Each structure stands twice: as structure tokens, then as C-alpha cells.
């Protein structure tokens, strides 16, 4: 949707999300991954977008989820599903939801068609500049700026939590949001503050 700048990023750098060293820390990272800020409120007439849910604080805007944040959400869903299966716990997400996420991520991979060659094996490399392989990525910081500037004031609840799919989820505007005062007035008038 936007022409963001690109940056060189290491291919598959180690992170706590994929580390098997500390399962407790890894679980905490995946469970706390917040994709709510990926909900944006955009002008209804912008760029021929498909109709979407109305934004509760401005009738000229509709709510959209930025695809990259949907991808992160899906990764989180799949991780939680696998961990709950592994631990023989009650499942928070049903199998069809997991399949939707897998199919969505598959479509994203096909759409990106990333042709970066990835080294196979652990061959020594004499050139110090080639010790870490990189690829061109869109700058995540620019995407963060876009979602912050267009915040839908959303903080999602889990399906088993009170407030799930209610107006409560739409009351989390950043203080510099043009809707912060509107939400504060709503909270004051409804006695929810």
C-alpha cells in the first residue's frame, strides 16, 4: 500500500522467539506479542479499499488490520496452539482458525516471492563481510509510524476474556490521537472511566 524504504537485515537472525534454551522466556515472548496496534482507522474513500467495519469514533473512517500485523497474529496463534497441544492443555483456538492462519501465511510467502538465496550448511567463509548473510527488507519502523499515525485505538481481548468484541477494545487511543478526547468524553459520560 505504501512505498517504504528498505534496509539490509540478517537472514534468520537468532531470537528468543525461536530459542529452545529457555522455554519460559520463549513462551512469554509469544504470549505477549501485541498485534492490536496493527488495527488502523482509514478514510472510507481511501484508495478503493474494500468496505470494512465502522470506526466507532469517526463515521468517516473504517477499521482495517494491516496485513503484516495479521501475519504476526497468525504466528502467535499457531505457536500457542502447538504449545497447548504439546502440554495437553485446553485449546484457545480451534483447528479451523489455525488452518486459516497457515493458509494466510502461505499466501503471504507467495505474494512476497522472496528470492534471497540462503546458504545451506555451515561452510567456512574467509570474507568477514560474508559471515552474516543479509536480505533486503521493508523498514518495519516506517510501518510502525503508519499504524501509530492511523491508530484505531484498539487493544484486543482474547476470546475467553471479558470485554472481547465489545466497545471496551476500542478505548485505547494514544494521547496524541485525534480521538483521545472523544474516547475520554465517552468514558466520562458512560461512567466507565
Amino acid at each position: 500500500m505504501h512505498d517504504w524504504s528498505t534496509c539490509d537485515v540478517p537472514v534468520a537472525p537468532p531470537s528468543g522467539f525461536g530459542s529452545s534454551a529457555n522455554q519460559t522466556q520463549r513462551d512469554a515472548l509469544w504470549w505477549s506479542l501485541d498485534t492490536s496496534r496493527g488495527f488502523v482507522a482509514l478514510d472510507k474513500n481511501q484508495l478503493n479499499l474494500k468496505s470494512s467495519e465502522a470506526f466507532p469514533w469517526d463515521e468517516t473512517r473504517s477499521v482495517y488490520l494491516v496485513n503484516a500485523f495479521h501475519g504476526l497474529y497468525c504466528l502467535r496463534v499457531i505457536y500457542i496452539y502447538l504449545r497447548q497441544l504439546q502440554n495437553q492443555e485446553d485449546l484457545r483456538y480451534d483447528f479451523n482458525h489455525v488452518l486459516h492462519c497457515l493458509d494466510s501465511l502461505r499466501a503471504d510467502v507467495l505474494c512476497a516471492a522472496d528470492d534471497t538465496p540462503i546458504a545451506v550448511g555451515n561452510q567456512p567463509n574467509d570474507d568477514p563481510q560474508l559471515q552474516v548473510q543479509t536480505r533486503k527488507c521493508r523498514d518495519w519502523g516506517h510501518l510502525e509510524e503508519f499504524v501509530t499515525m492511523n491508530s484505531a485505538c484498539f487493544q484486543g481481548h482474547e476470546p475467553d476474556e471479558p470485554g472481547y468484541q465489545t466497545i471496551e477494545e476500542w478505548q485505547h487511543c494514544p494521547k496524541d490521537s485525534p480521538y483521545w478526547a472523544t474516547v475520554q468524553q465517552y468514558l466520562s459520560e458512560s461512567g466507565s472511566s
Side-chain angles (χ1 to χ4, degrees):
M1 184 169 166
H2 298 277
D3 185 24
W4 305 120
S5 62
T6 60
C7 52
D8 290 323
V9 175
V11 172
S15 80
F17 288 95
S19 171
S20 60
N22 187 324
Q23 189 168 299
T24 303
Q25 286 180 343
R26 185 187 64 228
D27 285 349
L29 282 172
W30 281 106
W31 278 87
S32 67
L33 188 63
D34 179 19
T35 57
S36 292
R37 66 186 188 281
F39 282 88
V40 294
L42 302 177
D43 187 309
K44 287 182 177 181
N45 300 316
Q46 182 176 338
L47 298 173
N48 300 317
L49 292 173
K50 181 181 174 184
S51 294
S52 190
E53 184 174 326
F55 181 52
W57 312 119
D58 183 345
E59 63 187 32
T60 68
R61 294 184 169 263
S62 292
V63 175
Y64 296 87
L65 176 58
V66 172
N67 191 57
F69 285 88
H70 180 256
L72 289 175
Y73 165 79
C74 278
L75 288 171
R76 180 180 179 271
V77 165
I78 294 166
Y79 180 82
I80 290 170
Y81 186 82
L82 291 172
R83 287 292 288 137
Q84 289 178 326
L85 277 177
Q86 182 183 38
N87 293 332
Q88 299 179 348
E89 298 171 358
D90 291 339
L91 301 175
R92 175 169 280 194
Y93 303 103
D94 68 35
F95 186 65
N96 287 329
H97 193 81
V98 174
L99 285 177
H100 154 77
C101 281
L102 286 170
D103 191 39
S104 178
L105 292 170
R106 178 199 61 82
D108 287 348
V109 169
L110 295 177
C111 180
D114 185 350
D115 63 353
T116 304
I118 299 174
V120 178
N122 228 356
Q123 304 303 316
N125 207 325
D126 294 333
D127 186 344
Q129 292 183 332
L130 297 177
Q131 295 297 323
V132 176
Q133 186 174 355
T134 61
R135 62 180 170 177
K136 286 282 184 202
C137 294
R138 291 171 72 180
D139 187 339
W140 186 262
H142 287 258
L143 189 59
E144 290 278 359
E145 289 173 19
F146 172 76
V147 299
T148 299
M149 287 180 357
N150 294 283
S151 172
C153 307
F154 184 79
Q155 180 63 53
H157 296 274
E158 294 294 339
D160 57 350
E161 293 177 339
Y164 177 68
Q165 293 189 340
T166 69
I167 192 69
E168 286 180 33
E169 292 181 312
W170 303 95
Q171 299 173 3
H172 305 276
C173 297
K175 287 201 177 197
D176 59 350
S177 166
Y179 306 105
W180 190 82
T182 304
V183 171
Q184 296 310 305
Q185 181 179 351
Y186 168 82
L187 292 172
S188 175
E189 289 173 1
S190 67
S192 302
S193 56

